[in-house]
PDB file of all heavy atoms in Angstrom:
ATOM      1  N   SER A 612      95.072  44.600  67.153  1.00 97.00           N
ATOM      2  CA  SER A 612      93.812  45.212  66.722  1.00 97.00           C
ATOM      3  C   SER A 612      93.999  46.697  66.460  1.00 97.00           C
ATOM      4  O   SER A 612      93.419  47.255  65.511  1.00 97.00           O
ATOM      5  CB  SER A 612      92.716  44.994  67.768  1.00 97.00           C
ATOM      6  OG  SER A 612      92.917  45.800  68.915  1.00 97.00           O
ATOM      7  N   ASP A 613      94.830  47.361  67.264  1.00 97.00           N
ATOM      8  CA  ASP A 613      95.073  48.783  67.060  1.00 97.00           C
ATOM      9  C   ASP A 613      95.945  49.032  65.833  1.00 97.00           C
ATOM     10  O   ASP A 613      95.796  50.057  65.157  1.00 97.00           O
ATOM     11  CB  ASP A 613      95.700  49.394  68.312  1.00 97.00           C
ATOM     12  CG  ASP A 613      94.681  49.559  69.432  1.00 97.00           C
ATOM     13  OD1 ASP A 613      93.476  49.595  69.129  1.00 97.00           O
ATOM     14  OD2 ASP A 613      95.085  49.646  70.600  1.00 97.00           O
ATOM     15  N   TYR A 614      96.859  48.115  65.537  1.00 97.00           N
ATOM     16  CA  TYR A 614      97.619  48.232  64.289  1.00 97.00           C
ATOM     17  C   TYR A 614      96.674  48.138  63.089  1.00 97.00           C
ATOM     18  O   TYR A 614      96.805  48.880  62.109  1.00 97.00           O
ATOM     19  CB  TYR A 614      98.678  47.129  64.188  1.00 97.00           C
ATOM     20  CG  TYR A 614      99.810  47.221  65.179  1.00 97.00           C
ATOM     21  CD1 TYR A 614     100.732  46.191  65.285  1.00 97.00           C
ATOM     22  CD2 TYR A 614      99.969  48.316  66.026  1.00 97.00           C
ATOM     23  CE1 TYR A 614     101.783  46.236  66.189  1.00 97.00           C
ATOM     24  CE2 TYR A 614     101.013  48.379  66.932  1.00 97.00           C
ATOM     25  CZ  TYR A 614     101.912  47.334  67.014  1.00 97.00           C
ATOM     26  OH  TYR A 614     102.946  47.370  67.902  1.00 97.00           O
ATOM     27  N   MET A 615      95.728  47.222  63.170  1.00 96.00           N
ATOM     28  CA  MET A 615      94.753  47.072  62.087  1.00 96.00           C
ATOM     29  C   MET A 615      93.902  48.329  61.940  1.00 96.00           C
ATOM     30  O   MET A 615      93.701  48.830  60.831  1.00 96.00           O
ATOM     31  CB  MET A 615      93.857  45.858  62.354  1.00 96.00           C
ATOM     32  CG  MET A 615      94.551  44.514  62.265  1.00 96.00           C
ATOM     33  SD  MET A 615      93.461  43.141  62.754  1.00 96.00           S
ATOM     34  CE  MET A 615      92.216  43.209  61.456  1.00 96.00           C
ATOM     35  N   LEU A 616      93.415  48.828  63.064  1.00 95.00           N
ATOM     36  CA  LEU A 616      92.544  50.005  63.026  1.00 95.00           C
ATOM     37  C   LEU A 616      93.267  51.213  62.450  1.00 95.00           C
ATOM     38  O   LEU A 616      92.751  51.906  61.570  1.00 95.00           O
ATOM     39  CB  LEU A 616      92.042  50.315  64.438  1.00 95.00           C
ATOM     40  CG  LEU A 616      91.126  51.541  64.591  1.00 95.00           C
ATOM     41  CD1 LEU A 616      89.822  51.319  63.847  1.00 95.00           C
ATOM     42  CD2 LEU A 616      90.872  51.838  66.058  1.00 95.00           C
ATOM     43  N   THR A 617      94.487  51.465  62.925  1.00 94.00           N
ATOM     44  CA  THR A 617      95.228  52.636  62.483  1.00 94.00           C
ATOM     45  C   THR A 617      95.619  52.545  61.017  1.00 94.00           C
ATOM     46  O   THR A 617      95.606  53.545  60.290  1.00 94.00           O
ATOM     47  CB  THR A 617      96.480  52.817  63.359  1.00 94.00           C
ATOM     48  OG1 THR A 617      96.073  52.929  64.726  1.00 94.00           O
ATOM     49  CG2 THR A 617      97.253  54.065  62.972  1.00 94.00           C
ATOM     50  N   SER A 618      95.962  51.360  60.566  1.00 94.00           N
ATOM     51  CA  SER A 618      96.346  51.172  59.163  1.00 94.00           C
ATOM     52  C   SER A 618      95.140  50.989  58.257  1.00 94.00           C
ATOM     53  O   SER A 618      95.286  50.782  57.051  1.00 94.00           O
ATOM     54  CB  SER A 618      97.264  49.953  59.032  1.00 94.00           C
ATOM     55  OG  SER A 618      96.561  48.758  59.382  1.00 94.00           O
ATOM     56  N   ARG A 619      93.945  51.023  58.857  1.00 94.00           N
ATOM     57  CA  ARG A 619      92.693  50.858  58.125  1.00 94.00           C
ATOM     58  C   ARG A 619      92.636  49.498  57.434  1.00 94.00           C
ATOM     59  O   ARG A 619      92.211  49.352  56.290  1.00 94.00           O
ATOM     60  CB  ARG A 619      92.491  52.018  57.141  1.00 94.00           C
ATOM     61  CG  ARG A 619      92.654  53.387  57.791  1.00 94.00           C
ATOM     62  CD  ARG A 619      92.223  54.523  56.889  1.00 94.00           C
ATOM     63  NE  ARG A 619      90.761  54.583  56.810  1.00 94.00           N
ATOM     64  CZ  ARG A 619      90.096  55.265  55.882  1.00 94.00           C
ATOM     65  NH1 ARG A 619      90.768  55.917  54.943  1.00 94.00           N
ATOM     66  NH2 ARG A 619      88.789  55.285  55.889  1.00 94.00           N
ATOM     67  N   THR A 620      93.074  48.506  58.168  1.00 95.00           N
ATOM     68  CA  THR A 620      92.980  47.115  57.725  1.00 95.00           C
ATOM     69  C   THR A 620      91.708  46.531  58.319  1.00 95.00           C
ATOM     70  O   THR A 620      91.623  46.347  59.537  1.00 95.00           O
ATOM     71  CB  THR A 620      94.208  46.313  58.205  1.00 95.00           C
ATOM     72  OG1 THR A 620      95.394  46.927  57.699  1.00 95.00           O
ATOM     73  CG2 THR A 620      94.125  44.872  57.736  1.00 95.00           C
ATOM     74  N   PRO A 621      90.699  46.250  57.535  1.00 95.00           N
ATOM     75  CA  PRO A 621      89.389  45.907  58.084  1.00 95.00           C
ATOM     76  C   PRO A 621      89.300  44.522  58.708  1.00 95.00           C
ATOM     77  O   PRO A 621      88.442  44.293  59.562  1.00 95.00           O
ATOM     78  CB  PRO A 621      88.452  46.013  56.887  1.00 95.00           C
ATOM     79  CG  PRO A 621      89.330  45.751  55.706  1.00 95.00           C
ATOM     80  CD  PRO A 621      90.673  46.324  56.053  1.00 95.00           C
ATOM     81  N   ALA A 622      90.159  43.589  58.282  1.00 96.00           N
ATOM     82  CA  ALA A 622      89.969  42.221  58.769  1.00 96.00           C
ATOM     83  C   ALA A 622      91.243  41.408  58.588  1.00 96.00           C
ATOM     84  O   ALA A 622      92.108  41.721  57.762  1.00 96.00           O
ATOM     85  CB  ALA A 622      88.826  41.544  58.012  1.00 96.00           C
ATOM     86  N   LEU A 623      91.371  40.380  59.405  1.00 95.00           N
ATOM     87  CA  LEU A 623      92.364  39.342  59.170  1.00 95.00           C
ATOM     88  C   LEU A 623      91.606  38.056  58.890  1.00 95.00           C
ATOM     89  O   LEU A 623      90.452  37.897  59.290  1.00 95.00           O
ATOM     90  CB  LEU A 623      93.335  39.189  60.342  1.00 95.00           C
ATOM     91  CG  LEU A 623      92.838  38.735  61.714  1.00 95.00           C
ATOM     92  CD1 LEU A 623      92.683  37.223  61.794  1.00 95.00           C
ATOM     93  CD2 LEU A 623      93.814  39.185  62.791  1.00 95.00           C
TER      94      LEU A 623
END
Side-chain angles (χ1 to χ4, degrees):
S612 73
D613 286 339
Y614 292 172
M615 292 174 65
L616 179 65
T617 303
S618 65
R619 309 190 75 196
T620 302
L623 64 82

